[in-house]
Amino acid sequence: NAGVTQTPKFQVLKTGQSMTLQCAQDMNHEYMSWYRQDPGMGLRLIHYSVGAGITDQGEVPNGYNVSRSTTEDFPLRLLSAAPSQTSVYFCASSGPTGTSYTDTQYFGPGTRLTVL
Amino acid sequence: SQQGEEDPQALSIQEGENATMNCSYKTSINNLQWYRQNSGRGLVHLILIRSNEREKHSGRLRVTLDTSKKSSSLLITASRAADTASYFCAQTGANNLFFGTGTRLTVIP
């Protein structure tokens, strides 16, 4: 199993550009989530999904969109990038079916995004 | 915010010593988890302790939970240079976890 994979590893955007951060897991996990990590702030939840076709907002959802068309994939879209979105983004998943969504989380390696 | 807090923010010890870090949280929980993050990497799950448990061990790790004080501690015994990392606690919400700001542990060889 590859676990949780994220692409790209690094990205530089200009203000106003849009992009999609990719996240995929091969563990058949129902629950997937996106966090951003900023210095001194810990990890903050952006969006999460408890299954295909179901998404919900986390603590800091503004400026981001998500969709969950398959169990495996959970892309995060930045609609119009702003310098405040400069951060490291982590995708996580947990499961399988029958376990709590809030049990052990498996994290991807992260995407380091810089918005100029 | 439901973010918890770790204490201390940074800790530096000699190899072989024990390291203790604490976590305080704000609301009732189903479980509390500890994660490690090496520099530039994703988080790795270390241990999960449920709200009806008071202590749990995993190898050189010992976690305690005091739900009356809304606090937890992580003890790493006989530390090694490879334990150098940031350590985060995460408390459960209804459908998600809330992470603290982390303790940066440096183990000096």
Side-chain angles (χ1 to χ4, degrees), chain B residues 26-93:
Chain B
K26 299 179 181 178
T27 61
S28 60
I29 58 172
N30 291 324
N31 66 63
L32 187 137
Q33 302 171 37
W34 286 90
Y35 289 80
R36 183 187 74 228
Q37 184 181 33
N38 291 90
S39 182
R41 298 288 192 86
L43 279 73
V44 175
H45 180 262
L46 293 176
I47 196 165
L48 180 154
I49 186 166
R50 301 202 182 274
S51 59
N52 60 353
E53 298 174 312
R54 291 296 169 260
E55 187 171 312
K56 202 161 184 179
H57 296 255
S58 176
R60 293 184 296 112
L61 306 180
R62 172 178 167 252
V63 168
T64 61
L65 179 65
D66 187 335
T67 53
S68 66
K69 295 181 179 178
K70 291 187 169 58
S71 67
S72 174
S73 67
L74 171 68
L75 168 68
I76 303 173
T77 60
S79 63
R80 305 166 182 168
D83 294 328
T84 293
S86 291
Y87 292 81
F88 295 87
C89 68
Q91 61 174 103
T92 55

Short mmCIF file of all heavy atoms in Angstrom, two decimals, chain B residues 26-93:
data_model
loop_
_atom_site.label_atom_id
_atom_site.label_comp_id
_atom_site.label_asym_id
_atom_site.label_seq_id
_atom_site.Cartn_x
_atom_site.Cartn_y
_atom_site.Cartn_z
N LYS B 26 -9.88 21.39 25.82
CA LYS B 26 -10.94 22.26 26.32
C LYS B 26 -12.29 21.60 26.47
O LYS B 26 -13.10 22.01 27.29
CB LYS B 26 -11.09 23.47 25.37
CG LYS B 26 -9.82 24.32 25.30
CD LYS B 26 -9.98 25.48 24.34
CE LYS B 26 -8.70 26.29 24.28
NZ LYS B 26 -8.81 27.41 23.32
N THR B 27 -12.59 20.58 25.66
CA THR B 27 -13.92 20.00 25.70
C THR B 27 -13.84 18.51 26.00
O THR B 27 -12.76 17.92 26.00
CB THR B 27 -14.65 20.20 24.36
OG1 THR B 27 -13.89 19.55 23.34
CG2 THR B 27 -14.76 21.68 24.03
N SER B 28 -14.98 17.88 26.22
CA SER B 28 -15.00 16.44 26.49
C SER B 28 -14.55 15.70 25.22
O SER B 28 -14.72 16.19 24.11
CB SER B 28 -16.38 15.99 26.91
OG SER B 28 -17.31 16.25 25.90
N ILE B 29 -13.96 14.54 25.42
CA ILE B 29 -13.35 13.81 24.31
C ILE B 29 -13.81 12.36 24.27
O ILE B 29 -14.24 11.81 25.29
CB ILE B 29 -11.81 13.83 24.40
CG1 ILE B 29 -11.37 13.22 25.73
CG2 ILE B 29 -11.28 15.24 24.22
CD1 ILE B 29 -9.87 13.01 25.85
N ASN B 30 -13.71 11.74 23.09
CA ASN B 30 -13.83 10.28 22.99
C ASN B 30 -12.47 9.64 23.15
O ASN B 30 -12.33 8.58 23.75
CB ASN B 30 -14.42 9.89 21.63
CG ASN B 30 -15.87 10.30 21.51
OD1 ASN B 30 -16.62 10.24 22.48
ND2 ASN B 30 -16.26 10.74 20.33
N ASN B 31 -11.48 10.28 22.54
CA ASN B 31 -10.12 9.79 22.71
C ASN B 31 -9.16 10.95 22.53
O ASN B 31 -9.54 12.03 22.06
CB ASN B 31 -9.80 8.65 21.74
CG ASN B 31 -9.77 9.08 20.29
OD1 ASN B 31 -8.96 9.90 19.90
ND2 ASN B 31 -10.66 8.53 19.48
N LEU B 32 -7.92 10.73 22.90
CA LEU B 32 -6.87 11.70 22.70
C LEU B 32 -5.70 10.97 22.06
O LEU B 32 -5.39 9.83 22.44
CB LEU B 32 -6.46 12.36 24.02
CG LEU B 32 -5.48 13.53 23.88
CD1 LEU B 32 -5.88 14.68 24.78
CD2 LEU B 32 -4.06 13.09 24.17
N GLN B 33 -5.07 11.62 21.10
CA GLN B 33 -4.00 10.95 20.36
C GLN B 33 -2.73 11.80 20.40
O GLN B 33 -2.79 13.03 20.54
CB GLN B 33 -4.44 10.75 18.91
CG GLN B 33 -5.72 9.93 18.79
CD GLN B 33 -6.27 9.90 17.38
OE1 GLN B 33 -5.52 9.86 16.42
NE2 GLN B 33 -7.60 9.92 17.26
N TRP B 34 -1.62 11.13 20.25
CA TRP B 34 -0.33 11.80 20.12
C TRP B 34 0.29 11.43 18.79
O TRP B 34 0.25 10.27 18.36
CB TRP B 34 0.60 11.40 21.26
CG TRP B 34 0.24 12.04 22.58
CD1 TRP B 34 -0.61 11.54 23.53
CD2 TRP B 34 0.73 13.28 23.08
NE1 TRP B 34 -0.68 12.41 24.59
CE2 TRP B 34 0.13 13.48 24.35
CE3 TRP B 34 1.61 14.25 22.61
CZ2 TRP B 34 0.39 14.60 25.13
CZ3 TRP B 34 1.88 15.36 23.38
CH2 TRP B 34 1.27 15.53 24.64
N TYR B 35 0.87 12.46 18.14
CA TYR B 35 1.51 12.29 16.85
C TYR B 35 2.93 12.87 16.90
O TYR B 35 3.21 13.79 17.67
CB TYR B 35 0.73 13.02 15.75
CG TYR B 35 -0.59 12.37 15.40
CD1 TYR B 35 -1.71 12.56 16.20
CD2 TYR B 35 -0.71 11.56 14.28
CE1 TYR B 35 -2.92 11.96 15.89
CE2 TYR B 35 -1.92 10.95 13.95
CZ TYR B 35 -3.01 11.16 14.76
OH TYR B 35 -4.21 10.57 14.45
N ARG B 36 3.78 12.34 16.06
CA ARG B 36 5.14 12.87 15.90
C ARG B 36 5.30 13.40 14.48
O ARG B 36 4.78 12.83 13.53
CB ARG B 36 6.18 11.77 16.15
CG ARG B 36 7.63 12.26 16.08
CD ARG B 36 8.61 11.11 16.18
NE ARG B 36 8.63 10.36 14.93
CZ ARG B 36 8.55 9.04 14.87
NH1 ARG B 36 8.44 8.33 15.98
NH2 ARG B 36 8.59 8.44 13.71
N GLN B 37 6.04 14.49 14.36
CA GLN B 37 6.34 15.06 13.05
C GLN B 37 7.83 15.36 12.97
O GLN B 37 8.33 16.24 13.68
CB GLN B 37 5.54 16.34 12.78
CG GLN B 37 5.77 16.90 11.38
CD GLN B 37 4.98 18.17 11.13
OE1 GLN B 37 4.76 18.96 12.04
NE2 GLN B 37 4.52 18.35 9.91
N ASN B 38 8.51 14.64 12.10
CA ASN B 38 9.90 14.97 11.80
C ASN B 38 9.92 16.16 10.85
O ASN B 38 8.98 16.36 10.08
CB ASN B 38 10.61 13.77 11.20
CG ASN B 38 10.80 12.67 12.22
OD1 ASN B 38 9.97 11.79 12.37
ND2 ASN B 38 11.88 12.76 12.96
N SER B 39 10.99 16.90 10.88
CA SER B 39 11.09 18.14 10.11
C SER B 39 10.79 17.89 8.64
O SER B 39 11.39 17.02 8.01
CB SER B 39 12.50 18.73 10.28
OG SER B 39 12.60 19.94 9.59
N GLY B 40 9.84 18.65 8.10
CA GLY B 40 9.53 18.55 6.68
C GLY B 40 8.70 17.34 6.29
O GLY B 40 8.53 17.08 5.10
N ARG B 41 8.20 16.63 7.27
CA ARG B 41 7.45 15.41 6.98
C ARG B 41 6.01 15.52 7.46
O ARG B 41 5.63 16.46 8.16
CB ARG B 41 8.11 14.22 7.67
CG ARG B 41 9.53 13.94 7.21
CD ARG B 41 9.54 13.36 5.81
NE ARG B 41 10.81 12.83 5.41
CZ ARG B 41 11.23 11.59 5.67
NH1 ARG B 41 10.47 10.79 6.39
NH2 ARG B 41 12.39 11.19 5.24
N GLY B 42 5.20 14.53 7.12
CA GLY B 42 3.84 14.44 7.63
C GLY B 42 3.83 13.90 9.06
O GLY B 42 4.85 13.47 9.59
N LEU B 43 2.66 13.92 9.67
CA LEU B 43 2.53 13.44 11.04
C LEU B 43 2.38 11.93 11.06
O LEU B 43 1.75 11.34 10.19
CB LEU B 43 1.30 14.08 11.71
CG LEU B 43 1.50 15.49 12.26
CD1 LEU B 43 1.57 16.50 11.15
CD2 LEU B 43 0.37 15.83 13.22
N VAL B 44 2.94 11.33 12.09
CA VAL B 44 2.87 9.89 12.28
C VAL B 44 2.19 9.61 13.61
O VAL B 44 2.58 10.17 14.64
CB VAL B 44 4.27 9.26 12.25
CG1 VAL B 44 4.19 7.77 12.58
CG2 VAL B 44 4.92 9.46 10.89
N HIS B 45 1.19 8.74 13.58
CA HIS B 45 0.45 8.41 14.79
C HIS B 45 1.33 7.61 15.75
O HIS B 45 2.01 6.66 15.35
CB HIS B 45 -0.78 7.59 14.42
CG HIS B 45 -1.62 7.20 15.58
ND1 HIS B 45 -1.53 5.97 16.17
CD2 HIS B 45 -2.55 7.88 16.28
CE1 HIS B 45 -2.38 5.91 17.18
NE2 HIS B 45 -3.01 7.06 17.26
N LEU B 46 1.33 8.01 17.03
CA LEU B 46 2.10 7.29 18.04
C LEU B 46 1.21 6.43 18.93
O LEU B 46 1.49 5.24 19.12
CB LEU B 46 2.84 8.30 18.94
CG LEU B 46 3.94 9.12 18.28
CD1 LEU B 46 4.50 10.13 19.26
CD2 LEU B 46 5.04 8.21 17.73
N ILE B 47 0.17 7.02 19.48
CA ILE B 47 -0.61 6.30 20.47
C ILE B 47 -1.98 6.97 20.63
O ILE B 47 -2.08 8.19 20.48
CB ILE B 47 0.16 6.24 21.81
CG1 ILE B 47 -0.41 5.18 22.75
CG2 ILE B 47 0.23 7.60 22.47
CD1 ILE B 47 0.52 4.84 23.90
N LEU B 48 -2.98 6.19 20.91
CA LEU B 48 -4.34 6.67 21.14
C LEU B 48 -4.78 6.17 22.51
O LEU B 48 -4.61 4.99 22.83
CB LEU B 48 -5.27 6.13 20.05
CG LEU B 48 -6.76 6.50 20.07
CD1 LEU B 48 -7.32 6.43 18.65
CD2 LEU B 48 -7.57 5.61 21.00
N ILE B 49 -5.34 7.07 23.30
CA ILE B 49 -5.87 6.69 24.60
C ILE B 49 -7.34 7.12 24.66
O ILE B 49 -7.68 8.24 24.29
CB ILE B 49 -5.04 7.31 25.75
CG1 ILE B 49 -5.54 6.78 27.11
CG2 ILE B 49 -5.03 8.82 25.71
CD1 ILE B 49 -4.57 7.06 28.26
N ARG B 50 -8.20 6.19 25.04
CA ARG B 50 -9.63 6.47 25.05
C ARG B 50 -10.01 7.14 26.37
O ARG B 50 -9.30 7.04 27.37
CB ARG B 50 -10.43 5.20 24.82
CG ARG B 50 -10.07 4.55 23.48
CD ARG B 50 -11.11 3.64 22.93
NE ARG B 50 -10.65 3.04 21.67
CZ ARG B 50 -10.80 3.63 20.49
NH1 ARG B 50 -11.38 4.80 20.39
NH2 ARG B 50 -10.38 3.03 19.39
N SER B 51 -11.16 7.76 26.37
CA SER B 51 -11.57 8.57 27.52
C SER B 51 -11.77 7.74 28.78
O SER B 51 -11.69 8.28 29.89
CB SER B 51 -12.86 9.34 27.20
OG SER B 51 -13.89 8.44 26.88
N ASN B 52 -11.98 6.43 28.64
CA ASN B 52 -12.17 5.59 29.83
C ASN B 52 -10.86 4.93 30.28
O ASN B 52 -10.86 4.10 31.18
CB ASN B 52 -13.23 4.52 29.59
CG ASN B 52 -12.87 3.60 28.45
OD1 ASN B 52 -11.90 3.81 27.75
ND2 ASN B 52 -13.67 2.56 28.27
N GLU B 53 -9.76 5.29 29.65
CA GLU B 53 -8.45 4.78 30.03
C GLU B 53 -7.67 5.86 30.77
O GLU B 53 -7.83 7.05 30.50
CB GLU B 53 -7.67 4.32 28.79
CG GLU B 53 -8.36 3.17 28.04
CD GLU B 53 -7.64 2.83 26.75
OE1 GLU B 53 -7.33 3.77 25.97
OE2 GLU B 53 -7.40 1.63 26.51
N ARG B 54 -6.79 5.45 31.65
CA ARG B 54 -6.01 6.42 32.42
C ARG B 54 -4.53 6.39 32.03
O ARG B 54 -3.82 7.38 32.20
CB ARG B 54 -6.15 6.14 33.92
CG ARG B 54 -7.53 6.45 34.43
CD ARG B 54 -7.85 7.92 34.29
NE ARG B 54 -9.26 8.20 34.53
CZ ARG B 54 -10.15 8.39 33.55
NH1 ARG B 54 -9.77 8.33 32.29
NH2 ARG B 54 -11.39 8.65 33.84
N GLU B 55 -4.08 5.26 31.54
CA GLU B 55 -2.66 5.14 31.18
C GLU B 55 -2.53 4.10 30.07
O GLU B 55 -3.27 3.12 30.03
CB GLU B 55 -1.86 4.71 32.41
CG GLU B 55 -0.37 4.70 32.23
CD GLU B 55 0.37 4.47 33.55
OE1 GLU B 55 0.03 5.15 34.54
OE2 GLU B 55 1.28 3.63 33.58
N LYS B 56 -1.55 4.36 29.21
CA LYS B 56 -1.31 3.43 28.12
C LYS B 56 0.17 3.44 27.78
O LYS B 56 0.82 4.50 27.84
CB LYS B 56 -2.13 3.80 26.89
CG LYS B 56 -2.36 2.67 25.91
CD LYS B 56 -3.53 3.00 25.00
CE LYS B 56 -3.82 1.83 24.09
NZ LYS B 56 -4.96 2.12 23.20
N HIS B 57 0.70 2.27 27.42
CA HIS B 57 2.12 2.15 27.09
C HIS B 57 2.26 1.61 25.68
O HIS B 57 1.46 0.81 25.20
CB HIS B 57 2.80 1.18 28.06
CG HIS B 57 2.79 1.62 29.48
ND1 HIS B 57 3.91 2.12 30.11
CD2 HIS B 57 1.79 1.67 30.39
CE1 HIS B 57 3.59 2.43 31.36
NE2 HIS B 57 2.32 2.16 31.55
N SER B 58 3.34 2.07 25.03
CA SER B 58 3.71 1.51 23.74
C SER B 58 5.22 1.66 23.61
O SER B 58 5.73 2.75 23.36
CB SER B 58 3.00 2.25 22.60
OG SER B 58 3.43 1.76 21.34
N GLY B 59 5.93 0.55 23.80
CA GLY B 59 7.39 0.61 23.75
C GLY B 59 7.93 1.58 24.78
O GLY B 59 7.67 1.44 25.97
N ARG B 60 8.68 2.59 24.33
CA ARG B 60 9.25 3.58 25.26
C ARG B 60 8.29 4.74 25.55
O ARG B 60 8.66 5.70 26.21
CB ARG B 60 10.55 4.13 24.67
CG ARG B 60 11.67 3.10 24.57
CD ARG B 60 12.98 3.72 24.07
NE ARG B 60 12.84 4.23 22.70
CZ ARG B 60 12.88 5.51 22.37
NH1 ARG B 60 13.05 6.44 23.29
NH2 ARG B 60 12.77 5.87 21.10
N LEU B 61 7.09 4.65 25.06
CA LEU B 61 6.10 5.71 25.26
C LEU B 61 5.13 5.34 26.36
O LEU B 61 4.67 4.21 26.46
CB LEU B 61 5.31 5.96 23.97
CG LEU B 61 6.09 6.26 22.71
CD1 LEU B 61 5.13 6.46 21.54
CD2 LEU B 61 6.99 7.46 22.89
N ARG B 62 4.81 6.34 27.19
CA ARG B 62 3.78 6.17 28.20
C ARG B 62 2.90 7.40 28.15
O ARG B 62 3.37 8.53 28.24
CB ARG B 62 4.40 6.02 29.59
CG ARG B 62 3.38 6.03 30.73
CD ARG B 62 4.06 5.83 32.07
NE ARG B 62 3.16 6.13 33.18
CZ ARG B 62 3.26 7.20 33.97
NH1 ARG B 62 4.23 8.08 33.78
NH2 ARG B 62 2.41 7.38 34.95
N VAL B 63 1.60 7.18 28.00
CA VAL B 63 0.65 8.27 27.94
C VAL B 63 -0.31 8.16 29.12
O VAL B 63 -0.77 7.07 29.44
CB VAL B 63 -0.15 8.25 26.62
CG1 VAL B 63 -1.33 9.19 26.68
CG2 VAL B 63 0.75 8.61 25.45
N THR B 64 -0.59 9.27 29.75
CA THR B 64 -1.60 9.32 30.80
C THR B 64 -2.70 10.29 30.39
O THR B 64 -2.47 11.21 29.60
CB THR B 64 -1.01 9.76 32.15
OG1 THR B 64 -0.46 11.07 32.01
CG2 THR B 64 0.08 8.79 32.60
N LEU B 65 -3.87 10.07 30.93
CA LEU B 65 -5.02 10.91 30.63
C LEU B 65 -5.77 11.19 31.92
O LEU B 65 -6.10 10.26 32.66
CB LEU B 65 -5.94 10.23 29.62
CG LEU B 65 -7.20 10.99 29.23
CD1 LEU B 65 -6.85 12.28 28.50
CD2 LEU B 65 -8.11 10.12 28.37
N ASP B 66 -6.03 12.45 32.18
CA ASP B 66 -6.83 12.86 33.34
C ASP B 66 -8.00 13.68 32.80
O ASP B 66 -7.86 14.87 32.52
CB ASP B 66 -5.98 13.69 34.30
CG ASP B 66 -6.71 14.01 35.60
OD1 ASP B 66 -7.96 14.04 35.61
OD2 ASP B 66 -6.03 14.25 36.61
N THR B 67 -9.14 13.05 32.64
CA THR B 67 -10.29 13.73 32.05
C THR B 67 -10.87 14.79 32.99
O THR B 67 -11.47 15.75 32.53
CB THR B 67 -11.39 12.74 31.65
OG1 THR B 67 -11.71 11.92 32.78
CG2 THR B 67 -10.93 11.86 30.51
N SER B 68 -10.66 14.63 34.29
CA SER B 68 -11.18 15.64 35.23
C SER B 68 -10.41 16.94 35.09
O SER B 68 -10.96 18.02 35.28
CB SER B 68 -11.09 15.12 36.66
OG SER B 68 -9.74 14.98 37.07
N LYS B 69 -9.13 16.85 34.73
CA LYS B 69 -8.31 18.05 34.54
C LYS B 69 -8.18 18.40 33.06
O LYS B 69 -7.53 19.38 32.72
CB LYS B 69 -6.91 17.84 35.13
CG LYS B 69 -6.91 17.66 36.64
CD LYS B 69 -5.48 17.48 37.17
CE LYS B 69 -5.50 17.33 38.68
NZ LYS B 69 -4.13 17.10 39.22
N LYS B 70 -8.79 17.60 32.20
CA LYS B 70 -8.67 17.80 30.75
C LYS B 70 -7.20 17.93 30.36
O LYS B 70 -6.77 18.92 29.73
CB LYS B 70 -9.47 19.02 30.31
CG LYS B 70 -10.98 18.83 30.41
CD LYS B 70 -11.73 20.01 29.79
CE LYS B 70 -13.21 19.72 29.66
NZ LYS B 70 -13.87 19.40 30.94
N SER B 71 -6.43 16.94 30.74
CA SER B 71 -5.01 17.00 30.42
C SER B 71 -4.47 15.60 30.15
O SER B 71 -5.02 14.59 30.60
CB SER B 71 -4.23 17.65 31.56
OG SER B 71 -4.27 16.82 32.71
N SER B 72 -3.38 15.57 29.40
CA SER B 72 -2.69 14.33 29.07
C SER B 72 -1.20 14.60 29.09
O SER B 72 -0.77 15.75 28.90
CB SER B 72 -3.12 13.84 27.69
OG SER B 72 -2.38 12.71 27.29
N SER B 73 -0.42 13.56 29.31
CA SER B 73 1.02 13.71 29.22
C SER B 73 1.60 12.56 28.42
O SER B 73 1.07 11.45 28.42
CB SER B 73 1.65 13.77 30.61
OG SER B 73 1.52 12.52 31.25
N LEU B 74 2.68 12.85 27.73
CA LEU B 74 3.43 11.86 26.96
C LEU B 74 4.84 11.80 27.54
O LEU B 74 5.52 12.82 27.62
CB LEU B 74 3.50 12.25 25.48
CG LEU B 74 4.44 11.42 24.60
CD1 LEU B 74 3.92 9.99 24.46
CD2 LEU B 74 4.60 12.06 23.22
N LEU B 75 5.24 10.61 27.94
CA LEU B 75 6.58 10.38 28.47
C LEU B 75 7.33 9.50 27.48
O LEU B 75 6.84 8.43 27.10
CB LEU B 75 6.51 9.70 29.84
CG LEU B 75 7.82 9.14 30.40
CD1 LEU B 75 8.78 10.27 30.73
CD2 LEU B 75 7.57 8.26 31.61
N ILE B 76 8.50 9.96 27.08
CA ILE B 76 9.40 9.15 26.25
C ILE B 76 10.58 8.79 27.13
O ILE B 76 11.31 9.68 27.61
CB ILE B 76 9.88 9.92 25.01
CG1 ILE B 76 8.68 10.40 24.18
CG2 ILE B 76 10.80 9.05 24.16
CD1 ILE B 76 9.07 11.31 23.02
N THR B 77 10.78 7.51 27.37
CA THR B 77 11.88 7.10 28.23
C THR B 77 13.12 6.79 27.41
O THR B 77 13.04 6.46 26.21
CB THR B 77 11.50 5.85 29.04
OG1 THR B 77 11.19 4.79 28.13
CG2 THR B 77 10.29 6.13 29.92
N ALA B 78 14.28 6.93 28.06
CA ALA B 78 15.56 6.60 27.44
C ALA B 78 15.65 7.18 26.03
O ALA B 78 15.80 6.45 25.05
CB ALA B 78 15.76 5.09 27.42
N SER B 79 15.54 8.49 25.93
CA SER B 79 15.44 9.14 24.63
C SER B 79 16.67 8.89 23.76
O SER B 79 17.78 8.66 24.25
CB SER B 79 15.24 10.64 24.82
OG SER B 79 16.36 11.20 25.47
N ARG B 80 16.43 8.97 22.47
CA ARG B 80 17.48 8.78 21.46
C ARG B 80 17.50 9.99 20.55
O ARG B 80 16.51 10.71 20.44
CB ARG B 80 17.18 7.52 20.64
CG ARG B 80 16.99 6.27 21.46
CD ARG B 80 16.38 5.18 20.62
NE ARG B 80 16.15 3.96 21.41
CZ ARG B 80 15.43 2.93 20.99
NH1 ARG B 80 14.87 2.96 19.78
NH2 ARG B 80 15.26 1.88 21.76
N ALA B 81 18.60 10.19 19.87
CA ALA B 81 18.70 11.31 18.93
C ALA B 81 17.60 11.24 17.89
O ALA B 81 17.08 12.28 17.45
CB ALA B 81 20.07 11.31 18.26
N ALA B 82 17.19 10.03 17.51
CA ALA B 82 16.14 9.86 16.50
C ALA B 82 14.77 10.31 17.00
O ALA B 82 13.83 10.43 16.20
CB ALA B 82 16.07 8.40 16.06
N ASP B 83 14.63 10.54 18.30
CA ASP B 83 13.36 11.04 18.84
C ASP B 83 13.20 12.54 18.61
O ASP B 83 12.13 13.10 18.89
CB ASP B 83 13.27 10.77 20.35
CG ASP B 83 13.20 9.28 20.67
OD1 ASP B 83 12.64 8.52 19.86
OD2 ASP B 83 13.73 8.89 21.74
N THR B 84 14.24 13.20 18.14
CA THR B 84 14.15 14.63 17.83
C THR B 84 13.04 14.86 16.81
O THR B 84 13.09 14.32 15.70
CB THR B 84 15.49 15.16 17.30
OG1 THR B 84 16.45 15.10 18.36
CG2 THR B 84 15.36 16.58 16.80
N ALA B 85 12.05 15.65 17.19
CA ALA B 85 10.87 15.87 16.35
C ALA B 85 9.93 16.81 17.08
O ALA B 85 10.20 17.20 18.22
CB ALA B 85 10.16 14.55 16.06
N SER B 86 8.83 17.14 16.43
CA SER B 86 7.74 17.86 17.10
C SER B 86 6.66 16.85 17.45
O SER B 86 6.38 15.94 16.67
CB SER B 86 7.18 18.95 16.20
OG SER B 86 8.12 19.99 16.01
N TYR B 87 6.06 17.05 18.61
CA TYR B 87 5.05 16.13 19.10
C TYR B 87 3.74 16.91 19.32
O TYR B 87 3.74 17.98 19.94
CB TYR B 87 5.51 15.46 20.40
CG TYR B 87 6.66 14.53 20.17
CD1 TYR B 87 7.96 15.02 20.07
CD2 TYR B 87 6.45 13.16 20.01
CE1 TYR B 87 9.03 14.17 19.82
CE2 TYR B 87 7.52 12.30 19.78
CZ TYR B 87 8.80 12.81 19.68
OH TYR B 87 9.85 11.98 19.42
N PHE B 88 2.66 16.34 18.80
CA PHE B 88 1.37 17.00 18.86
C PHE B 88 0.35 16.10 19.55
O PHE B 88 0.32 14.89 19.30
CB PHE B 88 0.84 17.30 17.45
CG PHE B 88 1.66 18.28 16.68
CD1 PHE B 88 2.75 17.87 15.93
CD2 PHE B 88 1.34 19.63 16.69
CE1 PHE B 88 3.51 18.77 15.21
CE2 PHE B 88 2.09 20.55 15.97
CZ PHE B 88 3.18 20.11 15.23
N CYS B 89 -0.49 16.71 20.36
CA CYS B 89 -1.65 15.98 20.86
C CYS B 89 -2.85 16.39 20.01
O CYS B 89 -2.89 17.49 19.44
CB CYS B 89 -1.91 16.26 22.33
SG CYS B 89 -2.46 17.93 22.73
N ALA B 90 -3.83 15.51 19.92
CA ALA B 90 -5.04 15.78 19.14
C ALA B 90 -6.24 15.27 19.92
O ALA B 90 -6.28 14.11 20.33
CB ALA B 90 -4.97 15.10 17.78
N GLN B 91 -7.17 16.15 20.14
CA GLN B 91 -8.40 15.78 20.85
C GLN B 91 -9.52 15.59 19.84
O GLN B 91 -9.53 16.22 18.77
CB GLN B 91 -8.79 16.86 21.86
CG GLN B 91 -9.06 18.20 21.21
CD GLN B 91 -9.59 19.23 22.18
OE1 GLN B 91 -8.87 20.12 22.62
NE2 GLN B 91 -10.87 19.14 22.51
N THR B 92 -10.46 14.71 20.17
CA THR B 92 -11.53 14.42 19.23
C THR B 92 -12.68 15.40 19.34
O THR B 92 -13.04 15.83 20.43
CB THR B 92 -12.09 13.01 19.48
OG1 THR B 92 -12.49 12.92 20.86
CG2 THR B 92 -11.07 11.96 19.17
N GLY B 93 -13.23 15.74 18.17
CA GLY B 93 -14.50 16.44 18.10
C GLY B 93 -15.54 15.45 17.63
O GLY B 93 -15.32 14.24 17.68
#
